[in-house]
Amino acid sequence: MKPLIGLTCSIGLEENYQYKETNYCEAVRGAGGIPILIPSFSEFAKDIPQLVRNLDGIIVSGGNDIYPMHYGEGPIQALGSVHRERDEVELEIVKECIKNKKPFFGICRGLQVLNVALGGDLYQDIYSQIKGKELEQHNHSKGTPPSNHSIEIKNDTFLYDIYKQKIGWVNSSHHQAIKKVAPSLEPIAWSKDGFVKAVVHKEIPSIFAVQWHPEKMYHKDHFSQQIFDYFIDLMR
């Protein structure tokens, strides 16, 4: 039986449609899973415990910013678009995945959701909040090179087992980042300018997240393929 993998949706600008880019679904299917889209609306949050129990694994995908009230801050001017319904659903998903030890893969925003849900916080915008330090370009978008910057990978981690070396290259597109790491998470990769780029739960290693977009490189990059293969293999 192929594992059933929930994929959280993004919300359209007019908030009357929800979607997920095809490359997420292709990456899950290519690794041997069946993708199932998870919508985000407030009334759905109460059904998350049932949903998580009936899925084999969950991917919290990339997307808009997290509302800073979830980590005790007010919004700054450089905060991007937020959707509180999506925050509510995805934070509840993290809670249930921890409770049920359900395999969880956070991608970009998904890493930030995981960190906030477990007591960490974020830079709302790294480029306006960090002064006196030259930062790499983390917020790449369309038309930019597929491998944007390097990461340093911690030894004795699943990422090191995939890359087989201390340095990897990743494609990122974010302006928020982890500031304080949640106590139950272990950082396992960093950018050259010091941002956490991957984490794993200290007690539940099947719960992990990365601050880049391996789904966009799935058909081009062997390492991106292996990250999805690793996640799906956790359920076999």
Side-chain angles (χ1 to χ4, degrees):
M1 296 287 288
K2 294 181 178 180
L4 301 177
I5 308 300
L7 269 168
T8 59
C9 287
S10 297
I11 301 175
L13 293 177
E14 297 177 359
E15 301 190 13
N16 62 352
Y17 67 95
Q18 302 197 23
Y19 67 96
K20 189 41 48 189
E21 293 86 350
T22 302
N23 48 28
Y24 283 97
C25 299
E26 290 178 339
V28 169
R29 288 189 61 211
I34 298 175
I36 297 173
L37 298 187
I38 301 173
S40 295
F41 47 90
S42 294
E43 295 81 2
F44 187 52
K46 66 180 184 297
D47 297 320
I48 294 301
Q50 178 183 347
L51 177 75
V52 170
R53 286 195 302 270
N54 285 280
L55 291 171
D56 297 300
I58 291 183
I59 294 174
V60 171
S61 62
N64 52 279
D65 291 354
I66 301 170
Y67 195 72
M69 63 170 281
H70 296 298
Y71 47 94
E73 294 183 9
I76 65 172
Q77 209 166 35
L79 183 71
S81 64
V82 297
H83 293 288
R84 298 197 194 189
E85 293 88 353
R86 184 176 182 185
D87 291 348
E88 185 177 348
V89 166
E90 292 183 348
L91 291 168
E92 185 67 21
I93 283 173
V94 172
K95 173 183 172 182
E96 288 300 316
C97 285
I98 298 292
K99 179 179 177 181
N100 293 277
K101 297 184 178 180
K102 187 74 64 172
F104 173 101
F105 181 9
I107 295 177
C108 195
R109 169 189 161 91
L111 174 141
Q112 297 162 9
V113 170
L114 178 63
N115 189 60
V116 169
L118 296 178
D121 63 13
L122 305 174
Y123 291 106
Q124 294 184 45
D125 177 67
I126 57 176
Y127 298 107
S128 63
Q129 289 185 287
I130 298 176
K131 306 296 184 182
K133 179 180 180 180
E134 186 174 355
L135 301 182
E136 293 186 292
Q137 176 56 274
H138 296 274
N139 197 18
H140 283 265
S141 56
K142 293 180 181 179
T144 57
S147 294
N148 296 329
H149 61 77
S150 63
I151 57 170
E152 181 179 348
I153 302 167
K154 185 176 181 179
N155 291 335
D156 300 320
T157 65
F158 80 91
L159 270 185
Y160 188 86
D161 291 341
I162 288 172
Y163 281 86
K164 305 296 184 187
Q165 57 190 24
K166 289 280 292 181
I167 302 297
W169 286 86
V170 299
N171 59 322
S172 63
S173 181
H174 65 95
H175 77 113
Q176 296 197 311
I178 288 178
K179 183 165 57 176
K180 180 185 72 178
V181 180
S184 57
L185 297 178
E186 177 188 3
I188 60 171
W190 301 262
S191 60
K192 190 179 295 184
D193 51 2
F195 292 109
V196 174
K197 284 289 183 170
V199 295
V200 64
H201 195 281
K202 291 179 180 178
E203 297 180 359
I204 313 172
S206 60
I207 293 175
F208 65 93
V210 302
Q211 186 68 85
W212 67 87
H213 284 277
E215 84 287 350
K216 293 182 179 181
M217 294 293 294
Y218 184 82
H219 293 297
K220 307 173 185 178
D221 175 56
H222 178 64
F223 301 122
S224 297
Q225 293 174 11
Q226 284 193 299
I227 292 173
F228 279 93
D229 292 344
Y230 170 81
F231 179 61
I232 298 300
D233 284 345
L234 292 171
M235 289 152 266
R236 292 192 169 117

